[in-house]
């Protein structure tokens, strides 16, 4: 069983990235053949600084290793090191409809924030489909916000197979049952995101303990006083999911644990639990990030292994499409 996922190198990784995706990558190593990719080529579709991008690839790689990815048990690589990603993107662009891409909500959101809306941003989901399909992937662990992109990938794979003969495995998304969409602590009706306007709503994996606690203390809660989930309680519901995810318990059990307790006590408990959860990751990160040569070695070895698979898929694709193999 092959598992593939990608993560952008830009921005600091936050609690949403970690609970929605990164921890699923780590457990994936025990369930199948995990292939994880730092997607530098996706990052250049919006405004960025080249010197920052190079550094943030290392930041993200060190974060994934600190979280528990083991390069002996999975393939961890940088997208730009395997040229077949961009090649397959072009081939898939010729089986993807303009209308399909125009409906992508991430494109609509991101393009609204850019002065120059690049064609690459429009093609972003096609490159993502190429990432996944190159590796004949069965499962794609992602947060809820990526559902639409994975559904597009499935449609494109099925259309390709129908038109040119069976070439790709049609992948499915694996979205966690809790914390699939971690919400902003200050505005719990929007998802936690790197580009949030109010910084206090976003908890970064590498925040200091005091800063983490302060953000949880300041989290927006709802009317009422019970620690209970509900459509009219987006703030408390979000905190319950976070607590459940980091403690490895069911949300119902969290509600039980905090019967009769006040919001203030609960918020502190969530902050404490998150700090405990991130403690080992924060410690390991510092050592791992300090050795760029080693990070480069890990990525280079990963790229070699990834390329061996990608080359074979590309040959099949060229052959199926009537191109020179
Ligand atoms: P990216 O880098 O924005 O996010 C990485 C992962 O984090 C998840 N995520 C969240 N999960 C829960 N709550 C949140 N608030 C939250 N915010 C982010 C995302 O769902 C994602 O799984 N397009 C992708 C990168 C990509 C990719 C791929 C993913 C490129 N190629 C192939 C899967 C397969 C992205 O921008 O993720």
């Amino acid at each position: 069983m092959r598992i593939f996922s990608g993560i952008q190198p830009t921005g600091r990784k936050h609690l949403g990235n970690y609970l929605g995706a990164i921890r699923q990558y780590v457990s994936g190593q025990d369930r199948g053949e995990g292939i994880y990719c730092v997607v530098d080529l996706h990052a250049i579709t919006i405004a960025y600084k080249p010197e920052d991008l190079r550094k943030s690839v290392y930041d993200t790689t060190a974060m994934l290793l600190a979280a528990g990815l083991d390069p002996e048990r999975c393939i961890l690589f940088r997208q730009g090191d395997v040229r077949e990603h961009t090649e397959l993107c072009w081939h898939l662009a010729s089986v993807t409809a303009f209308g399909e891409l125009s409906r992508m909500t991430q494109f609509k959101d991101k393009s609204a924030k850019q002065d120059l809306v690049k064609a690459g941003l429009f093609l972003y989901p096609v490159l993502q489909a190429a990432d996944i399909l190159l590796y004949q992937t069965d499962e794609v662990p992602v947060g809820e916000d990526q559902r639409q992109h994975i559904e597009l990938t499935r449609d494109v794979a099925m259309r390709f197979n129908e038109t040119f003969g069976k070439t790709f495995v049609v992948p499915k998304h694996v979205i966690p049952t809790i914390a699939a969409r971690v919400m902003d602590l200050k505005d719990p009706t929007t998802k936690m995101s790197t580009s949030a306007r109010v910084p206090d709503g976003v908890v970064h994996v590498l925040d200091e303990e005091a800063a983490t606690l302060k953000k949880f203390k300041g989290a927006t809660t709802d009317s009422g006083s019970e620690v209970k989930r509900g459509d009219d309680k987006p703030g408390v519901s979000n905190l319950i999911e976070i607590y459940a995810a980091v403690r490895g318990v069911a949300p119902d059990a969290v509600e039980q644990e905090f019967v009769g307790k006040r919001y203030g006590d609960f918020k502190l408990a969530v902050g404490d639990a998150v700090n405990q959860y991130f403690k080992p990751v924060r410690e390991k990160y510092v050592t791992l990030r300090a050795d760029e040569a080693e990070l480069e070695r890990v990525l280079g070895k990963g790229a070699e292994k990834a390329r061996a698979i990608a080359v074979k898929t590309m040959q099949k694709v060229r052959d199926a499409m009537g191109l020179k193999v």
Side-chain angles (χ1 to χ4, degrees), residues 36-57:
Y36 304 109
C37 179
V38 182
V39 295
D40 55 345
L41 300 175
H42 276 110
I44 63 174
T45 57
I46 54 171
Y48 77 102
K49 292 203 185 96
E51 65 274 23
D52 291 347
L53 177 58
R54 216 165 281 131
K55 286 198 187 112
S56 38
V57 169

Side-chain angles (χ1 to χ4, degrees), residues 57-59 61-63 65-66 69-72 76-78 81 284-303:
V57 169
Y58 293 138
D59 295 345
T61 305
M63 166 68 57
L65 294 171
L69 285 191
D70 173 1
E72 300 299 320
L76 174 59
F77 72 107
R78 168 171 44 208
D81 284 345
K284 282 187 207 139
Y285 178 86
V286 177
T287 323
L288 288 160
R289 181 62 184 86
D291 192 349
E292 287 189 358
E294 174 59 13
L295 294 171
E296 197 52 61
R297 193 193 65 78
V298 166
L299 290 171
K301 273 203 102 173

Side-chain angles (χ1 to χ4, degrees), residues 4-10 13-22 25 37 39 42 79 106 110 124 127-129 131-132 140-147 149-150 176 179-184 191-194:
F4 179 94
S5 203
I7 185 163
Q8 297 216 50
T10 35
K13 299 302 144 221
H14 54 70
L15 186 60
N17 297 130
Y18 203 95
L19 299 181
I22 296 174
Y25 309 165
C37 179
V39 295
H42 276 110
Q79 187 186 34
Q106 189 164 306
K110 284 196 179 176
Y124 180 117
L127 181 59
Q128 182 162 348
D131 297 341
I132 298 166
V140 190
V142 282
E144 178 61 44
D145 64 339
Q146 294 300 312
R147 181 188 290 274
H149 284 169
I150 313 302
R181 189 176 177 81
V182 176
M183 307 307 271
D184 188 284
K191 72 165 184 182
M192 191 174 283
S193 152
T194 322

Side-chain angles (χ1 to χ4, degrees), residues 10 76 81 91 96 108 126 130 170 175 189 196 218 272 279 324:
T10 35
L76 174 59
D81 284 345
H91 296 63
T96 309
K108 290 187 207 164
V126 186
V170 180
I175 296 174
T189 58
D272 266 334
K279 195 172 191 320
K324 188 162 183 295

